[in-house]
Amino acid sequence: MIPAAFEYARASSVEEAAKLLSKYGEDAKVLAGGHSLIPLMRLRLAQPTAIVDINGLKDLDNIKEDGHKLRIGALTRHVTIQNSSVIKEKLPLLAEVAGEVGDNQVRNMGTMGGVIAHADAAGDYPTLALMLDADIVTNQRTIPAREFFKDLFTTSLGPDEIITEVVFPVANGPHKYVKFRRRLFDWAIVGVAAQKINGDWRIGLTNVGPTPVRATAVEEAMHKGAKPEEAAQHASDGLDPAGDLRASPEYKKHLARVLTKRAINQAEGRQ
Amino acid sequence: MAVTQLVGAKIHRREDPRLITGHGHYIDDFTRQGAAYAAFVRSPFAHARIKSIDMTDASKAPGVAGVYTARDFKGQLAGTHPAAPAFVAEKKYIPERFPIAEKEVCYQGEIVAVVLADTKGQAADAANLIQVDYEELPAVMDTEKAMAKGSPLVHQGAADNISWDLTYTGPEVTEAAFQEADVVVKEHILQNRLAPVPMEPRGVLAEYETYDKKLTIWMSSQNPHFIRLFVSGAMGLKESQVRVISPDVGGGFGSKISPYPEDYLVPALSRLAERPVKWIETRTESLQNATHGRGQYYDVEVAAKKDGTLLGMRMTQFLDVGAYCGTFTAFQACTCLMAGGAYKWKGISARTIGILTNRVPTDPYRGAGRPEATHLVERMVDLVALELKMDPVEIRRKNFIQPTEFPFTQNFGLVIDSGDYDKALDRALELVGYKELRKKQADLRKQGRYLGIGISTWIELCGFGPSAATAPATGGIALVESAQVRVTPTGSVIVYTGTHSHGQGHETTFSQIVADQLGVPYESVELRHGDTSEGTAFGYGTYGSRSLAVGGVAISMAATKVIDKGKKLAAHMLEAAEEDVVFDHGSFHVKGSPDKAKAFGEVAFASYGMNLPEGMEQGLEAVAYFDPPNLVWPFGTHIAVVEVDAETGNAKLEKYIAVDDCGNIINPMIVDGQIHGGAVQGIAQALYEEVVYDEDTGQLKTGTMIDYLLPGIGEIPPLSLDHTVTPSPTNSLGVKGIGEAGTIAASAAVINAICDALSPLGIKHVDMPATPDKLWHMMKGASK
Ligand SMILES: Cc1cc2nc3c(=O)[nH]c(=O)nc-3n(C[C@H](O)[C@H](O)[C@H](O)COP(=O)(O)OP(=O)(O)OC[C@H]3O[C@@H](n4cnc5c(N)ncnc54)[C@H](O)[C@@H]3O)c2cc1C
């Protein structure tokens, strides 16, 4: 519960942050909301030699509408996303998801960039990023979400690469995120997102594998006109989730099917 | 007691403004000049031999003041960890326990070394540099396997893994009952292991003054006088040389009753290092090392007649003791004595077996033995009802001990002082709308939905306790209680008690009692507790819902003694005979002439003066000890309404009703608070909480708050509370304990509701915690 000693530096620009990161080397870490990094440091599961604090980079804390895209700065807090009128109008699914991340403290501190970079299997934004074909923009390049999440806690980010924004498409058709968890402030045991976009369904699954999953078999079945309960049977196709204290692999697969059905039905205004 | 304004009044807790604005004084708020911080090195293995410990790097690390292992404490601490015989008369095997392991570690988290450094961070860093070479030994994790012949041993060289095996009453006492029976139901019932998780973890700050040979210990404890007793003994000091101060305590739930290894090691370190030493437990250390609760299973069978008359019960308790005997671990065997619950039985056969495993020791946890008893009997009664297709309400009514039958001597010779079980049940049924709910349940079933109603008609024995019962159980010290009431010359009152609040609001309730009794303003009464150098010679602590029913009564007795002295003095001042002086609402007056009066304050002032009756000493103060003639017996009915999601197996608590009877109520708001917290703890056991160890390696899997599921406010529906009042004849205040009641009642209500919900699927029993995954698997299996 007491972290190992580390250096601390506060960056005043993305360039400076990148410089600091390369100066401190591979074991340096960006600090955003701190709600994933600090718990790991307290348990000494992460022992960065240096912390580069980007909380001063105010221009990373914004939401911009850009034609058919929404550009969400990496430092935008969950609470801002949850309450943003632009997001509520243009990508209400994202506002809904943000409102269900952790509790007030987590939502006041945690950031879009932090969740994406941390790549926890139970993170909620990665699911949306993957299923909606979002782009992850860094100080060096733009990475399509489908090439970003490599493994559990593993992304294609380089050591001195900093996420600056995440770019989502506008989508305001029927949508729903069904997050199954034991406690209101918990991560998803399994989460399912459903979004209708250009007449077709996008279905994303949270915490059923090391990385987020797009349930293409369900999407295809829906495209071919299957009923939600039939299509949802495909939600667990190809899944091989790890069991944990909250759920066995078998139960997670079952939840993926049940919650997919519920997500589509609820998106369409049925119970 | 006279009917008054304060007793029974719903006044706000006096301690709350301080506590909720961050002005409380918890252990980490204290420090001493020059204090060193301790960091403990703990075994990562459940069971291993210590081959060697290399401290070279650690001792050279920045800020390190000293590095210590078991050998350093050999001359400092004598004796082993105390284990009270408690309710189990026959002790077979109590493994020796020294606060720090030398050759063998027997649970994950056992201390093997300690580092002292100038700062917390330096101590933690250096602790990581200590290299311990272990040889792993097989971990004994399964209680059933641990009992088998040839099982690996929890402690090398022991004869077996059985700590005790005691038959209170053999099968012969239930032979007739089982012969007469029309039905016999059997079940195997689990009590999940729980972590206490107080909001404030433990902590110890100790300062040994080398020149004066005086030791002061600041620590978070429910029981400071016992700590002084144990620690002074182990350190070879006189009790009078040791002062234990337990300031505001942020919860304990039983886990801060018994002394812990750190409670000995930190003071010993202070003496060794000749400087104050501080240690604050981390959350992970707390989950790993604070004594756990429950951790039991039961084999039970019940015999009944066709008409629902309960006849006999045969039960065996298998209790996971952990690696060492907790000081009061055997107290949990009281489940056996309480297994009959609120009902009449021809006979109960009860046996308890305490089994050692390579887990952290268990010890009392809110309710200790009584939640287990309630869960057991309330489950079994429901199973009999199910078998006989009877309404669970009907079977309870049929078998209740009746109001006219109190005092009622139950099967184990305990005398239940009072009760009116139907009354609480009636009120709870009314509050929940029982008949309509049953209709709703039937309708929902037709739609494939599973709604369940669970009833728990709980009773409790508490208020420890009569000297005759407790002195033999603790090894000599009876759990009576002491109080001192001291009146200052200006008439303000300082009350000292040997109990110690860890969240119960004693500063409020005890002041209410004294203010009323002495007729002084509530604001002029001050409660002092938690400091062994203040007030009475010995205090017996707070646990087992004893503080009001024993400590509060002692305070009231001391206040009576103060009034008695005041009467003598007032008579002298009023030139009247003592028999003619009456005390009423803070004033002494002559019978029949209320204007010939002296106010309490005037008498107090005079008591410090020179004009006293002959032979009277100055001052106005008194000490009292209360040795209750019996335990007290609260009771009530809790009803839970749960819907189980047919697809996900998620059990959602829809409604929760609690009607409790704790006799006379001093402060209804505090009683409600206790019920709220208690019930939520029981609900949590039923649905969420469980300490999980890896069954092969003995690694704790629930070592953080992410994995140990403590529910939050979002998971608990508003509780509907009410009370009936059946005063206890056992004490002058007519009060019974309420601190544990909610926990005692709740788990049975919730699990009964789930079983009721799933009964159409043929599911009869569900073990705790009833997780969605578990229920889904059961439902899937049942519908096949
Ligand atoms: C009790 C609790 C409940 C939670 N529940 C949920 C939940 O339900 N769903 C959910 O999705 N999350 C949940 N979280 C996680 C929360 O959303 C975190 O805030 C989030 O995962 C990390 O964001 P952060 O801004 O706090 O990042 P930090 O903790 O500061 O950083 C996390 C990691 O990302 C890196 N990083 C951060 N920002 C950048 C950047 N711009 N560029 C490159 N690397 C970066 C850091 O170096 C670090 O490795 C919960 C957390 C807690 C404590």
Side-chain angles (χ1 to χ4, degrees):
Chain A
M1 297 282 150
I2 300 163
F6 54 87
E7 302 264 348
Y8 172 88
R10 204 172 162 85
S12 51
S13 67
V14 174
E15 297 71 48
E16 192 193 350
K19 262 193 215 129
L20 286 165
L21 284 175
S22 37
K23 176 182 141 197
Y24 288 122
E26 221 166 292
D27 290 331
K29 279 269 174 203
V30 168
L31 176 73
H35 269 53
S36 290
L37 184 57
I38 292 176
L40 289 176
M41 289 170 65
R42 296 183 71 218
L43 293 167
R44 297 197 177 204
L45 293 173
Q47 300 200 16
T49 48
I51 290 293
V52 177
D53 186 345
I54 60 166
N55 281 278
L57 309 187
K58 295 296 169 222
D59 44 334
L60 294 191
D61 182 0
N62 58 26
I63 295 163
K64 273 185 256 160
E65 210 187 326
D66 177 7
H68 275 284
K69 307 222 172 255
L70 282 173
R71 312 187 79 91
I72 298 170
L75 209 59
T76 312
R77 315 273 167 190
H78 304 316
V79 66
T80 312
I81 297 171
Q82 173 187 1
N83 295 327
S84 154
S85 48
V86 175
I87 294 186
K88 279 189 200 160
E89 197 195 318
K90 303 287 176 182
L91 188 56
L93 178 62
L94 181 61
E96 184 184 318
V97 166
E100 298 210 16
V101 173
D103 55 20
N104 280 334
Q105 281 167 315
V106 176
R107 289 194 291 273
N108 284 334
M109 292 302 293
T111 65
M112 170 60 78
V115 177
I116 297 287
H118 191 57
D120 190 318
D124 296 308
Y125 298 149
T127 304
L128 299 198
L130 179 77
M131 69 185 256
L132 297 175
D133 286 321
D135 282 327
I136 289 127
V137 182
T138 75
N139 56 333
Q140 299 171 8
R141 57 188 167 140
T142 295
I143 312 165
R146 87 188 91 81
E147 291 164 21
F148 185 83
F149 301 104
K150 294 293 185 195
D151 204 343
L152 193 63
F153 302 117
T154 310
T155 68
S156 50
L157 284 178
D160 55 356
E161 203 167 0
I162 297 160
I163 301 178
T164 54
E165 56 184 10
V166 181
V167 185
F168 285 92
V170 164
N172 47 13
H175 62 272
K176 184 71 199 171
Y177 190 55
V178 182
K179 187 169 177 176
F180 188 83
R181 54 196 155 162
R182 300 292 323 274
R183 302 176 293 187
L184 211 54
F185 52 87
D186 263 338
W187 280 263
I189 293 174
V190 172
V192 176
Q195 173 75 58
K196 206 167 194 180
I197 197 166
N198 303 328
D200 265 325
W201 284 99
R202 301 280 183 95
I203 308 291
L205 311 177
T206 304
N207 206 29
V208 291
T211 58
V213 171
R214 187 162 160 190
T216 45
V218 180
E219 293 177 3
E220 277 160 28
M222 287 302 287
H223 180 75
K224 289 185 189 141
K227 288 196 189 120
E229 53 270 31
E230 296 160 4
Q233 289 310 309
H234 296 289
S236 55
D237 288 3
L239 294 186
D240 185 17
D244 54 38
L245 285 176
R246 287 177 175 70
S248 57
E250 204 189 352
Y251 184 56
K252 280 193 182 178
K253 288 204 273 187
H254 170 71
L255 283 178
R257 295 189 292 266
V258 171
L259 304 183
T260 298
K261 176 187 76 183
R262 290 185 181 181
I264 299 172
N265 279 335
Q266 288 173 26
E268 295 196 315
R270 292 184 295 268
Q271 256 316 295
Chain B
M1 269 194 81
V3 182
T4 53
Q5 285 173 302
L6 284 164
V7 165
K10 205 170 184 166
I11 54 177
H12 284 264
R13 299 198 333 159
R14 160 186 288 203
E15 37 280 89
D16 283 346
R18 169 177 97 236
L19 298 180
I20 63 184
T21 58
H23 291 84
H25 297 281
Y26 296 100
I27 201 69
D28 203 12
D29 297 324
F30 291 78
T31 189
R32 301 298 288 174
Q33 190 67 33
Y37 290 82
F40 292 100
V41 178
R42 299 174 184 277
S43 168
F45 299 111
H47 196 191
R49 207 192 322 275
I50 303 169
K51 286 163 66 183
S52 64
I53 303 179
D54 182 353
M55 306 190 289
T56 332
D57 292 345
S59 55
K60 286 188 235 147
V64 169
V67 187
Y68 308 86
T69 60
R71 242 167 287 154
D72 299 300
F73 294 95
K74 282 289 153 70
Q76 291 289 326
L77 295 169
T80 64
H81 195 87
F87 278 61
V88 179
E90 297 162 26
K91 268 289 182 185
K92 185 171 171 276
Y93 169 42
I94 303 175
E96 286 217 0
R97 183 180 192 185
F98 194 67
I100 176 166
E102 187 180 12
K103 299 194 175 93
E104 186 184 357
V105 282
C106 295
Y107 67 93
Q108 190 196 21
E110 190 165 1
I111 297 169
V112 296
V114 50
V115 178
L116 284 191
D118 293 337
T119 69
K120 241 193 268 195
Q122 289 168 333
D125 285 344
N128 276 346
L129 298 175
I130 291 184
Q131 310 275 337
V132 186
D133 190 8
Y134 295 99
E135 177 195 333
E136 230 187 307
L137 296 167
V140 179
M141 302 307 292
D142 182 308
T143 39
E144 222 153 322
K145 286 185 197 149
M147 285 186 290
K149 266 216 169 67
S151 161
L153 295 166
V154 172
H155 293 269
Q156 297 273 290
D160 57 29
N161 299 317
I162 308 294
S163 185
W164 69 77
D165 181 350
L166 174 78
T167 299
Y168 286 106
T169 42
E172 65 283 354
V173 306
T174 46
E175 223 170 272
F178 277 77
Q179 256 163 25
E180 199 188 324
D182 299 315
V183 288
V184 172
V185 295
K186 289 188 191 185
E187 199 47 80
H188 179 82
I189 297 177
L190 225 117
Q191 279 285 336
N192 35 336
R193 216 178 220 263
L194 303 176
V197 204
M199 188 109 65
E200 183 200 21
R202 293 185 304 116
V204 186
L205 166 64
E207 181 169 36
Y208 182 79
E209 287 166 85
T210 313
Y211 297 98
D212 300 337
K213 296 196 169 36
K214 272 189 196 151
L215 173 66
T216 308
I217 304 171
W218 293 260
M219 65 182 286
S220 188
S221 173
Q222 298 173 228
N223 212 6
H225 284 87
F226 273 93
I227 297 294
R228 180 182 67 176
L229 181 77
F230 292 132
V231 173
S232 61
M235 289 186 65
L237 297 169
K238 297 187 174 55
E239 263 183 281
S240 53
Q241 288 171 289
V242 180
R243 177 177 185 185
V244 178
I245 301 170
S246 176
D248 285 327
V249 177
F253 311 114
S255 71
K256 293 176 183 169
I257 303 173
S258 300
Y260 282 84
E262 298 88 351
D263 303 349
Y264 297 100
L265 295 175
V266 173
L269 282 164
S270 175
R271 184 161 68 181
L272 273 169
E274 300 193 11
R275 68 193 272 196
V277 176
K278 182 171 175 176
W279 165 76
I280 301 291
E281 187 179 57
T282 66
R283 182 58 68 192
T284 294
E285 281 183 307
S286 173
L287 287 164
Q288 193 182 46
N289 296 284
T291 52
H292 290 158
R294 319 289 188 255
Q296 303 158 28
Y297 67 90
Y298 293 86
D299 275 332
V300 51
E301 51 185 322
V302 163
K305 285 205 250 187
K306 264 206 293 279
D307 67 356
T309 305
L310 299 171
L311 296 169
M313 180 193 285
R314 288 178 173 158
M315 57 89 75
T316 306
Q317 174 186 45
F318 299 87
L319 190 149
D320 176 358
V321 169
Y324 298 96
C325 290
T327 305
F328 296 105
T329 192
F331 175 80
Q332 301 171 94
C334 77
T335 302
C336 297
L337 309 181
M338 291 298 288
Y343 316 104
K344 288 180 276 190
W345 303 83
K346 287 208 161 149
I348 300 177
S349 308
R351 175 180 175 196
T352 171
I353 307 175
I355 305 141
L356 294 154
T357 62
N358 291 113
R359 292 191 182 88
V360 79
T362 52
D363 220 24
Y365 167 72
R366 202 169 191 171
R370 292 150 293 159
E372 295 94 315
T374 303
H375 198 82
L376 181 90
V377 68
E378 293 302 295
R379 275 285 41 240
M380 293 313 288
V381 166
D382 264 25
L383 284 173
V384 174
L386 186 72
E387 184 73 24
L388 297 173
K389 300 194 169 55
M390 256 176 108
D391 189 294
V393 171
E394 204 186 317
I395 190 166
R396 285 173 166 80
R397 288 204 197 285
K398 195 174 182 68
N399 292 284
F400 275 157
I401 301 162
Q402 295 303 309
T404 49
E405 293 173 304
F406 295 101
F408 181 87
T409 305
Q410 47 95 291
N411 297 71
F412 295 91
L414 295 165
V415 180
I416 306 179
D417 67 353
S418 56
D420 189 345
Y421 303 152
D422 273 301
K423 201 166 151 190
L425 175 59
D426 287 340
R427 181 70 186 126
L429 293 172
E430 186 187 329
L431 281 172
V432 81
Y434 189 65
K435 280 209 186 104
E436 302 84 81
L437 255 184
R438 284 285 177 211
K439 269 194 220 109
K440 183 174 168 193
Q441 177 183 44
D443 290 345
L444 288 176
R445 275 182 186 167
K446 283 183 209 138
Q447 304 167 28
R449 287 174 62 182
Y450 301 107
L451 185 81
I453 308 159
I455 299 171
S456 170
T457 44
W458 66 278
I459 73 164
E460 175 188 1
L461 98 168
C462 64
F464 303 94
S467 55
T470 54
T474 66
I477 289 195
L479 301 179
V480 302
E481 197 47 81
S482 61
Q484 187 172 16
V485 172
R486 315 180 84 175
V487 185
T488 66
T490 53
S492 63
V493 185
I494 307 172
V495 179
Y496 299 91
T497 171
T499 63
H500 185 32
S501 172
H502 49 286
Q504 293 83 352
H506 294 167
E507 290 171 43
T508 306
T509 33
F510 290 177
S511 300
Q512 283 177 268
I513 294 171
V514 173
D516 262 6
Q517 213 172 328
L518 299 183
V520 299
Y522 170 68
E523 293 71 27
S524 64
V525 183
E526 181 70 29
L527 183 80
R528 297 281 174 81
H529 51 185
D531 184 340
T532 59
S533 287
E534 276 198 336
T536 55
F538 199 79
Y540 303 79
T542 287
Y543 42 81
S545 303
R546 66 185 302 281
S547 292
L548 175 61
V550 192
V553 176
I555 289 173
S556 171
M557 285 165 60
T560 302
K561 289 187 185 178
V562 162
I563 294 169
D564 289 345
K565 181 172 181 185
K567 263 188 198 165
K568 285 197 180 73
L569 179 51
H572 177 73
M573 292 163 77
L574 294 164
E575 294 174 354
E578 194 191 331
E579 313 81 72
D580 291 338
V581 174
V582 208
F583 181 67
D584 186 26
H585 285 83
S587 160
F588 297 90
H589 65 83
V590 178
K591 226 182 270 169
S593 30
D595 46 327
K596 278 195 82 180
K598 291 283 170 200
F600 183 80
E602 289 177 84
V603 175
F605 192 76
S607 78
Y608 289 91
M610 56 179 231
N611 184 14
L612 301 181
E614 213 181 296
M616 182 181 278
E617 293 166 16
Q618 268 80 1
L620 190 54
E621 58 183 310
V623 171
Y625 280 75
F626 180 50
D627 182 359
N630 187 3
L631 295 150
V632 289
W633 298 79
F635 61 90
T637 297
H638 286 210
I639 301 182
V641 182
V642 173
E643 182 168 354
V644 182
D645 186 317
E647 286 181 318
T648 65
N650 191 47
K652 182 157 184 280
L653 186 60
E654 301 281 351
K655 242 188 197 185
Y656 196 92
I657 310 289
V659 177
D660 298 292
D661 193 320
C662 60
N664 290 333
I665 292 175
I666 307 295
N667 185 328
M669 190 182 278
I670 286 183
V671 168
D672 285 355
Q674 290 294 313
I675 292 292
H676 268 265
V680 171
Q681 248 169 321
I683 293 167
Q685 177 179 13
L687 296 177
Y688 298 96
E689 292 184 40
E690 182 174 37
V691 172
V692 183
Y693 284 89
D694 185 293
E695 288 297 313
D696 295 322
T697 65
Q699 295 291 309
L700 180 68
K701 290 178 162 180
T702 46
T704 71
M705 299 287 273
I706 296 173
D707 297 315
Y708 188 77
L709 286 198
L710 217 55
I713 193 72
E715 286 62 62
I716 308 294
L719 314 183
S720 313
L721 309 188
D722 203 358
H723 307 280
T724 60
V725 176
T726 309
S728 169
T730 305
N731 58 64
S732 55
L733 298 175
V735 296
K736 305 176 178 184
I738 197 66
E740 296 162 294
T743 314
I744 289 169
S747 72
V750 175
I751 294 297
N752 280 348
I754 292 173
C755 294
D756 181 49
L758 301 183
S759 60
L761 295 172
I763 291 170
K764 291 184 177 167
H765 178 69
V766 172
D767 273 322
M768 301 184 286
T771 64
D773 192 351
K774 184 189 283 178
L775 292 181
W776 172 69
H777 270 99
M778 290 182 81
M779 291 162 81
K780 197 167 71 133
S783 48
K784 260 182 200 152

